[in-house]
Amino acid sequence: MHLSTDDLTSALRNEGFRLTAARRAICAVLAESHEEHLSAVDVRARAADRAGIQIDQSTVYRTLDVFESLGWLHHVHLGHGPGIVHLSEKTDHHHLVCESCGLSVDVPIEELDDVFSQLTERHGFAPTSMHFALIGTCKNCAN
Amino acid sequence: MHLSTDDLTSALRNEGFRLTAARRAICAVLAESHEEHLSAVDVRARAADRAGIQIDQSTVYRTLDVFESLGWLHHVHLGHGPGIVHLSEKTDHHHLVCESCGLSVDVPIEELDDVFSQLTERHGFAPTSMHFALIGTCKNCAN
DNA sequence: GTCAATGCAAACTTTTTGCAACTCC
DNA sequence: GGAGTTGCAAAAAGTTTGCATTGAC
């Protein structure tokens, strides 16, 4: 169900990219970051730590770019500050961020189908990308 | 209906802030930027131009911060790049940005009431801030 | 005269880029 | 061996901050 590190590394190879220690480590971090919100900086720290090597931040950005251009990865913005990365295979979801407590809730995109198709009907606009979070107030903070 | 430059400047004074040439010019630019999407850099350029004085970018940021902390102004993100500013009095609206052509459509928040209250019912989450645009595909680009 | 506001320069954060050195295939 | 990758250093973009000077009231 979830992509493994090997899935990612061999897919990279299949696409004609070279496998380096840095890339292997980054693949591993992404494969393991199931529900986490990791920034590129986080990815670098973890990958370097995990593989016991040093990896430059620019290498991470470049590798994430490769993944993103292959459509395997997306980055989203939950607020100001760094974007966070997501393997695309993870169930597509929108991010709802509570402006009061900062809590971030993932809502599977299917659950927004009705909501979004209303938008499309009324405004001819079909939301396609969950690139920016929706900011609001969560249940707890509403009380 | 719309706030005038004088509304803004005298409101500033009433709040105990000092009126400077820079602030007057910035107020004028904001009051006149009805449906436009101006960044802080745009505001600086226009205000300086309009008043025939030089205004530092940091002054603009500081003044916009004052307005924002008074709740008179919001800044929103339509995509990567600079945030854009809005007087709060302008009808509240959400921004729909077409990822294909870049077109940005403003949707009055009332028209999203149904859509958003569904979200609240189902996910206990009430969207309150239009801080980030919704990214998708517009009618034209869908064809 | 005081204190808020400004300009200027410098720092900051996140991300991108140029380039020589390296190393994967 | 040769092209794809890397690290390093520097730049870029947007925004924030420190501080001495200015100017509003």
Side-chain angles (χ1 to χ4, degrees):
Chain A
M1 164 82 250
H2 280 315
L3 292 177
S4 67
T5 305
D6 285 352
D7 291 333
L8 287 171
T9 52
S10 46
L12 258 189
R13 291 259 43 234
N14 290 342
E15 295 287 336
F17 292 95
R18 292 188 183 167
L19 261 191
T20 64
R23 284 187 175 165
R24 250 183 276 266
I26 294 171
C27 287
V29 168
L30 295 177
E32 287 169 4
S33 71
H34 292 307
E35 308 300 335
E36 290 178 279
H37 290 156
L38 298 180
S39 69
V41 168
D42 297 332
V43 171
R44 193 210 65 78
R46 248 187 231 204
D49 190 48
R50 205 199 131 78
I53 58 179
Q54 73 116 327
I55 305 179
D56 193 79
Q57 191 61 55
S58 66
T59 300
V60 173
Y61 278 114
R62 281 190 273 232
T63 298
L64 296 178
D65 280 350
V66 167
F67 289 157
E68 203 153 3
S69 67
L70 291 171
W72 304 350
L73 184 98
H74 290 115
H75 79 271
V76 303
H77 297 275
L78 301 185
H80 295 159
I84 61 137
V85 294
H86 262 171
L87 282 187
S88 308
E89 53 121 15
K90 318 273 185 218
T91 317
D92 260 349
H93 55 276
H94 209 319
H95 301 84
L96 310 181
V97 175
C98 177
E99 65 185 342
S100 158
C101 68
L103 180 77
S104 157
V105 183
D106 291 354
V107 177
I109 192 111
E110 308 90 66
E111 298 186 31
L112 295 175
D113 275 353
D114 288 358
V115 174
F116 282 179
S117 57
Q118 261 190 58
L119 258 185
T120 308
E121 273 169 42
R122 298 194 189 171
H123 302 283
F125 181 91
T128 54
S129 153
M130 317 289 74
H131 192 64
F132 292 106
L134 206 49
I135 310 295
T137 308
C138 73
K139 211 179 301 191
N140 283 339
C141 292
N143 302 333
Chain B
M1 162 84 249
H2 279 313
L3 291 178
S4 67
T5 305
D6 285 350
D7 291 333
L8 287 171
T9 52
S10 46
L12 257 190
R13 292 259 42 233
N14 290 341
E15 294 287 335
F17 292 95
R18 292 187 184 169
L19 261 191
T20 64
R23 284 188 175 164
R24 250 183 275 267
I26 294 171
C27 286
V29 169
L30 294 178
E32 287 170 4
S33 71
H34 292 306
E35 310 298 335
E36 291 179 278
H37 289 156
L38 299 180
S39 68
V41 168
D42 297 331
V43 171
R44 191 210 66 78
R46 248 188 230 204
D49 191 47
R50 203 198 133 79
I53 58 179
Q54 73 117 328
I55 305 179
D56 193 78
Q57 191 61 55
S58 65
T59 298
V60 174
Y61 279 115
R62 282 190 273 232
T63 298
L64 295 179
D65 280 350
V66 167
F67 290 157
E68 202 153 4
S69 66
L70 291 171
W72 303 351
L73 184 99
H74 289 115
H75 78 271
V76 303
H77 297 274
L78 301 184
H80 294 158
I84 60 138
V85 295
H86 262 170
L87 282 188
S88 308
E89 53 120 16
K90 317 271 186 222
T91 317
D92 261 349
H93 54 275
H94 209 320
H95 302 83
L96 309 181
V97 175
C98 178
E99 64 185 341
S100 159
C101 67
L103 180 77
S104 156
V105 183
D106 292 354
V107 178
I109 191 108
E110 309 89 66
E111 297 187 32
L112 294 174
D113 275 353
D114 288 358
V115 174
F116 281 179
S117 58
Q118 261 190 57
L119 257 185
T120 308
E121 273 170 42
R122 297 191 189 171
H123 301 284
F125 182 92
T128 54
S129 153
M130 318 289 74
H131 193 65
F132 292 106
L134 206 48
I135 310 296
T137 307
C138 74
K139 212 179 301 192
N140 283 340
C141 293
N143 303 334

